[in-house]
Amino acid sequence: MNIQLKNIKVCLGNKTVINDLNLTIAKSERVAIVGPNGSGKSTLLRTMIGILKPNHGNVYLDHEPISDIPGALRARKIGFLTQTDEVPQMTTVWDHVALGLHPYKRFLRNDFRNKEAIINEAIKNVGIEHLKDRFVERLSGGERKRVRLATLFAQNPYCMLLDEPLNSLDLEHKFSLLENIVSLNKNKGHCVISVLHDLNVAIRYFERVLIMNKGNIVADGVPLDVMTPNLLSEVFKVKSEIINKKRDGSFYLNIKSSL
């Protein structure tokens, strides 16, 4: 499955948030979207999944306009973890994760054993087995984020869009989620597209980085090729350097200061 955005322009009120953007993301890619606040990152994800209709241009899934794809089929192709933290009232964790199976209800109508196995695996993947009988609205912000992630994992779309998925998570669960993302991508072929603020996470866990600024993609490629000190200075207004950790061959970005 691939996603194509052709000549996309999105306006919110009188402001142009995305301007004449073209982009193709292929199946099995792991893509991070970074940029300063207000650069259009979240708007781009919402446009990709069809929540926002562009003022100009089209979004295609496998060469078919996303607006022409029926809802259940679209949900099997592409799923979205938003920043919002709204949850149904008086809904247990197990029942919330079960909502991820809604696009497959026709196929799982009488297959209760398989349904239960899918839900339990999604819950296990984000480490919330001990919470499965709790009401979601009574959990902490980080716990609710993990419930929503489990619901997306149960939905199991070909492509997952994640809008700042690490917010509210403690260090243990941040790294657990990132390892899950890499595993889903490498072992199951899922495309993962994530908005991030941590540039070092983008370098370490993602193969492709899009840098956005003022509604445009100003760089697109392998992290170390596009995250140059000059470009980061221009976009993020910081002084930086790339450090090579020679023992394991890895790299990280050192932010020295703001300009």
Side-chain angles (χ1 to χ4, degrees):
M1 191 200 83
N2 63 47
I3 301 174
Q4 290 181 302
L5 287 79
K6 295 185 177 181
N7 305 315
I8 293 294
K9 180 179 181 180
V10 179
C11 300
L12 299 178
N14 296 322
K15 181 180 179 181
T16 299
V17 181
I18 294 179
N19 186 36
D20 196 26
L21 185 146
N22 290 278
L23 176 66
T24 298
I25 297 177
K27 179 182 178 182
S28 300
E29 285 199 89
R30 223 165 46 246
V31 183
I33 303 173
V34 302
N37 291 339
S39 57
K41 304 182 299 295
S42 296
T43 299
L44 178 59
L45 290 191
R46 294 166 67 200
T47 304
M48 281 183 184
I49 201 168
I51 294 173
L52 288 178
K53 184 177 180 181
N55 298 78
H56 184 269
N58 283 296
V59 179
Y60 299 88
L61 296 182
D62 288 333
H63 310 290
E64 183 177 4
I66 193 169
S67 57
D68 292 347
I69 302 174
L73 177 57
R74 186 190 305 182
R76 296 197 294 270
K77 288 177 175 283
I78 189 168
F80 187 27
L81 178 76
T82 66
Q83 290 187 49
T84 58
D85 194 27
E86 296 178 6
V87 295
Q89 296 297 303
M90 301 305 289
T91 301
T92 66
V93 168
W94 201 93
D95 287 336
H96 192 289
V97 176
L99 295 174
L101 297 182
H102 184 74
Y104 306 94
K105 62 180 181 178
R106 183 163 61 91
F107 306 103
L108 294 171
R109 185 175 292 123
N110 298 314
D111 194 351
F112 300 108
R113 183 175 297 178
N114 192 29
K115 176 180 176 180
E116 187 173 88
I118 293 170
I119 295 169
N120 286 334
E121 181 182 6
I123 287 173
K124 182 179 179 180
N125 279 343
V126 297
I128 54 173
E129 302 99 311
H130 61 297
L131 301 174
K132 67 179 182 179
D133 296 321
R134 296 271 303 277
F135 290 119
V136 179
E137 73 267 22
R138 297 179 182 175
L139 302 179
S140 70
E143 289 169 336
R144 289 197 299 270
K145 172 65 71 68
R146 288 154 63 196
V147 172
R148 293 168 54 229
L149 283 164
T151 306
L152 181 61
F153 289 165
Q155 182 183 335
N156 196 36
Y158 297 122
C159 182
M160 295 184 179
L161 308 182
L162 311 174
D163 195 357
E164 299 187 24
L166 304 181
N167 285 2
S168 303
L169 297 182
D170 57 31
L171 283 175
E172 175 189 357
H173 294 104
K174 281 182 181 181
F175 287 108
S176 176
L177 169 62
L178 290 165
E179 295 298 337
N180 269 329
I181 287 173
V182 173
S183 177
L184 283 167
N185 173 258
K186 288 185 174 181
N187 300 327
K188 295 187 178 181
H190 287 283
C191 174
V192 180
I193 305 169
S194 182
V195 167
L196 296 170
H197 277 298
D198 190 325
L199 300 184
N200 278 307
V201 167
I203 289 173
R204 180 174 176 182
Y205 289 96
F206 290 81
E207 301 168 319
R208 179 180 175 188
V209 171
L210 309 179
I211 300 179
M212 293 192 69
N213 195 27
K214 298 178 181 178
N216 298 295
I217 294 175
V218 296
D220 177 1
V222 176
L224 289 176
D225 290 345
V226 299
M227 288 186 178
T228 63
N230 286 341
L231 184 60
L232 296 181
S233 170
E234 178 182 341
V235 173
F236 293 96
K237 311 304 180 187
V238 294
K239 295 178 181 179
S240 64
E241 62 181 345
I242 297 292
I243 305 296
N244 181 358
K245 296 174 69 176
K246 294 181 180 180
R247 287 186 179 181
D248 61 3
S250 63
F251 296 81
Y252 71 92
L253 181 69
N254 178 35
I255 304 295
K256 295 179 177 180
S257 66
S258 60
L259 295 180

